[in-house]
Amino acid sequence: IRKHRRLNVAEHLVKIGGRVQEGWRAAAEKVGLPVSTGGIPPLSRFTFEAPDAQAVRTLFTQMMLDRGFLASNAFYAMYAHQESHVEAYLHAVEEVFRELKTVVERDEVKAMLRGPVAHAGFYRLA
């Protein structure tokens, strides 16, 4: 607790999470992909506003993995996250959002998947 206070970890988590949320919104707006964001900054999430959003989310994860990021539609800020990490991540997000817009418009989302659509919530555990 002393370290948490001394390093002002809470402020850092809010700053980093807010930067990610704003980056998602900016990237989506820039490329014209309908996305909504939510959650408190350190525990952020976004959703695709598209038909078969779960398949789009699965493709987002696949495309981010191709760029070296294990990413989903959620972000949990950590003290170790630095601005340089966020910049690299958001650069990849913008690239992926741009590609997703085209794929969604062409109705090719499922054709692009290399595996099944990911299950949401606890369904994957049953």
Side-chain angles (χ1 to χ4, degrees):
I1 292 174
R2 285 187 294 270
K3 183 177 182 179
H4 191 278
R5 288 178 181 159
R6 184 179 78 249
L7 297 175
N8 205 356
V9 172
E11 182 180 308
H12 177 76
L13 299 180
V14 169
K15 177 184 165 198
I16 291 294
R19 176 73 180 93
V20 168
Q21 277 189 351
E22 180 52 38
W24 288 334
R25 283 190 290 270
E29 185 177 312
K30 184 174 183 179
V31 304
L33 182 67
V35 168
S36 60
T37 62
I40 61 173
L43 306 171
S44 302
R45 61 174 165 60
F46 69 87
T47 54
F48 293 106
E49 297 172 3
D52 206 357
Q54 189 62 19
V56 178
R57 188 184 92 156
T58 303
L59 185 56
F60 171 80
T61 298
Q62 175 182 299
M63 295 170 101
M64 288 297 286
L65 279 170
D66 291 343
R67 288 163 173 79
F69 292 91
L70 177 56
S72 72
N73 67 318
F75 176 77
Y76 303 108
M78 304 289 166
Y79 187 71
H81 289 130
Q82 299 301 314
E83 187 63 32
S84 61
H85 303 133
V86 174
E87 287 298 321
Y89 166 77
L90 290 175
H91 177 76
V93 165
E94 186 177 321
E95 287 178 355
V96 169
F97 279 9
R98 183 174 285 109
E99 290 180 38
L100 284 174
K101 171 141 173 51
T102 302
V103 172
V104 167
E105 286 175 344
R106 293 180 181 169
D107 194 25
E108 297 174 345
V109 173
K110 288 188 177 177
M112 297 282 297
L113 291 174
R114 295 190 294 260
V117 174
H119 295 292
F122 290 105
Y123 181 79
R124 63 183 160 70
L125 301 176

